[in-house]
Every structure is written in C-alpha cells, then in structure tokens.
Amino acid sequence: FGKGPVKLYKDVAEKYGYILAASNQSRNFQIDLVSKAARAVWDDTHPRLTLDSRRIYMMGFSGGARAATMLAIRCQACAVAGVISHGAGYPFPPSDKEHFAYFAFVGDKDFNWSEAVELRRKKEEWGAPYHLRVFDGEHQWAPPAVFEEAIEWLQLKAMQAGVVAPDSSFLDSLFAKTQKDAQNASQQKDAIAQSEAYRTLVSDFSGLKDVTEYQAKLTALKNSADYKQALKKEQEAIDQQRDITQELSSRFARAGDADVDAQLTLRDAIVKGMTELKYQADHGKNVETRLIMTRSFSDLWAQGI
C-alpha cells in the first residue's frame, strides 16, 4: 500500500523539503485504476499544498515504476521533471525524445536487473539525464540510505537546470563523493561503475564544476580493453539469464491450457527445474554465477505467480 514507501522515505523527504504523496488504490495491470489513482493524488495535493510546479516527480516500485514512467510520458500537462524507478523499467520501449530525468534503482539479485542494465545503455547512448544505482538486494524498494542518492541527484539536476540556486556546500560535497566513487571503482577494477561515476561527474556537474579532467578520463576508459571486457561480461550475464529461463518459462505458459495429464508432466518438470536452479543460486561456484541463478529463479517464480 501507498503508506509503506511514504513511511520508509519520510525522513529523507523532510531533510530535503520534498512532499511524498501515494495511493492505496493503484494496482498492477489495471491501467484505468492507475490513472484514476494518480488523478486523485494530483487533485488532492495541488489545491491544498504549496508546490513548485517545476519540480513534480513520479515514483514507483515494480509495476508501479512502470506506471510512474507511463504517467510522466503521457501526462504532458503534468510537466513531470523526473522519475524515480525501483525494480523495473518502462512499460513500453523507451524513446530518446523524453524530457524528464530518470533515476533507476535495482537490486543486484532482482530479476529485472538485466532490464535496468539495457535501459542504462540506451539512455547513455542518447545522452539522456539518467542514473542507475545497483544495490545489494532483491526485488524491493531501495533502502532509505540508498534512496537519498536519488534525492541528491534530483537536487543536482535542478541546480544544473537553473530551477534551484546552486548550493556550493552541497555541490562540493556531492562532487567529492562522486570522485571517491570513481576512485573506489578503479581500485576494485569495476570498469562499469567507474564509467558511471565519470559520466555523472561530466554530465551532471557540467556548468556547475570544471569537468574537463573527467571528460578525458571517461573517453579513455570507454576506449580501454577493461571497459569493453566488462561490457562483454555484463552482456553474457544478461544472455545467460534469458537462456536459463526460456525453457521453464515456456512450460509455465503451456501449463494453464494443458489437460490434466500434461499438467502433471509439466508440473514435475517445473518443480525439478526450479529445485535445481535454487540449488545453483545457493551453491554456485562463484558470486557471479549465484547472482545469475538467483535472478533466473526469481524471474521464473514471478512468472509462475
């Protein structure tokens, strides 16, 4: 229900002067109900509260994240400045024509991890205002301490756009933190995280800080063998999850319309496949394998429901 994330993020919102409003009525796969709920929240908050019309943001989790993105795209009159997405991407293929900033959270064990990664690549290719934060977790709302990063980023983008007056103390602190993120990623030999930090330094601080140094570093990193290898490994993880889930997914799809005998056969195959997958998720030979198996198991579990 809507009160869950409001309570979860209340302290962060109050720290930065944001108002959180949510609906208890919105439901997955019910577009009319989602639209009605969004309109009710809008009509309730705007007459009663003093809001900055230049800083209206949408947020949601899983199916709610898709709904938030859909509303940001389709409601032109809303003039949505940004979307915070948790655990899911777009409800339809993204476009390079979108005007809003987009901050995505996804757990490293989330079955929608591959979707978030592919969206990151498209947004980066388009030069769109975008940030992906992968945290240690499953298909869930981001923890409050991690969520604060999204609010900081929206503050930064508002300053960059001239909507909010630049705060030198805030900018210095966030710039130093992002520099530290880049250093840590370099030490851990995480080329993708390093490129994300450099991209943030270049794209999100442009016009607010001198970013010449980091533009050169970003260009050099993207031309490096380490970065290309990291992208290759990332794609292999995406492909492996799809390959793993494909066969069992087709069995789930067939089970609903099968006769009783066929259902029993499909059931046995599904249970065996899911049991083996869960074992690999818990006992895989390395962290990468366990993450892929965990995402695959959760993906199929959600499909089964």
Side-chain angles (χ1 to χ4, degrees):
F1 291 101
K3 65 183 179 181
V6 171
K7 292 173 67 175
L8 189 65
Y9 300 137
K10 177 180 69 70
D11 292 342
V12 176
E14 290 180 349
K15 178 179 176 180
Y16 292 90
Y18 283 68
I19 297 171
L20 297 177
S23 169
N24 288 329
Q25 304 302 319
S26 181
R27 295 290 185 272
N28 277 352
F29 316 119
Q30 299 182 34
I31 299 301
D32 290 343
L33 188 57
V34 168
S35 299
K36 185 178 178 180
R39 171 57 65 182
V41 171
W42 187 279
D43 291 344
D44 178 54
T45 54
H46 280 67
R48 296 193 300 112
L49 303 172
T50 301
L51 305 174
D52 186 342
S53 61
R54 303 166 301 172
R55 304 188 68 196
I56 302 298
Y57 305 101
M58 298 286 183
M59 180 170 74
F61 164 66
S62 195
R66 301 190 198 283
T69 305
M70 179 190 69
L71 291 167
I73 294 170
R74 292 186 174 174
C75 184
Q76 297 299 317
C78 300
V80 173
V83 171
I84 302 177
S85 167
H86 301 252
Y90 278 51
F92 35 69
S95 166
D96 60 354
K97 303 295 190 294
E98 289 144 18
H99 61 280
F100 51 83
Y102 191 90
F103 194 108
F105 287 110
V106 70
D108 59 356
K109 303 175 191 68
D110 193 325
F111 52 85
N112 283 331
W113 172 86
S114 56
E115 177 185 347
V117 168
E118 290 177 323
L119 181 58
R120 183 204 76 213
R121 294 179 180 180
K122 289 180 180 178
K123 292 278 189 178
E124 186 172 354
E125 178 185 342
W126 296 332
Y130 174 77
H131 192 88
L132 172 63
R133 174 63 158 89
V134 180
F135 61 92
D136 180 10
E138 300 183 359
H139 189 58
Q140 63 185 82
W141 290 95
V146 178
F147 173 74
E148 187 168 1
E149 295 179 20
I151 300 301
E152 289 176 335
W153 187 73
L154 293 177
Q155 291 287 102
L156 174 62
K157 298 307 287 185
M159 292 179 191
Q160 189 182 41
V163 174
V164 173
D167 180 331
S168 58
S169 177
F170 172 82
L171 290 172
D172 289 345
S173 175
L174 194 56
F175 194 72
K177 177 179 178 294
T178 311
Q179 288 174 312
K180 184 65 174 177
D181 289 341
Q183 292 171 3
N184 290 340
S186 177
Q187 292 170 0
Q188 295 167 8
K189 300 189 184 304
D190 187 339
I192 291 176
Q194 190 178 358
S195 74
E196 282 292 284
Y198 285 157
R199 188 178 63 82
T200 292
L201 289 166
V202 173
S203 299
D204 300 329
F205 286 93
S206 178
L208 299 169
K209 292 280 189 180
D210 180 2
V211 298
T212 307
E213 172 189 355
Y214 294 102
Q215 179 62 72
K217 288 185 175 182
L218 179 60
T219 300
L221 178 63
K222 286 196 169 184
N223 289 326
S224 70
D226 287 344
Y227 180 72
K228 293 173 183 177
Q229 179 61 31
L231 286 179
K232 181 174 180 290
K233 186 176 180 181
E234 186 180 65
Q235 186 60 48
E236 288 172 351
I238 293 171
D239 293 340
Q240 191 172 352
Q241 179 179 337
R242 285 178 179 158
D243 290 343
I244 289 169
T245 58
Q246 187 173 15
E247 184 176 356
L248 280 176
S249 180
S250 68
R251 286 173 175 162
F252 275 123
R254 297 200 306 273
D257 297 324
D259 60 35
V260 174
D261 290 339
Q263 278 189 343
L264 290 173
T265 301
L266 287 166
R267 176 190 178 280
D268 290 343
I270 289 169
V271 169
K272 180 181 178 182
M274 291 293 283
T275 301
E276 291 176 353
L277 197 51
K278 186 65 170 68
Y279 181 85
Q280 289 297 322
D282 293 338
H283 305 286
K285 61 182 179 180
N286 53 47
V287 173
E288 290 78 11
T289 297
R290 291 193 294 275
L291 283 173
I292 293 168
M293 299 302 172
T294 298
R295 293 175 200 137
S296 300
F297 179 87
S298 299
D299 189 349
L300 289 161
W301 176 81
Q303 290 183 41
I305 290 177

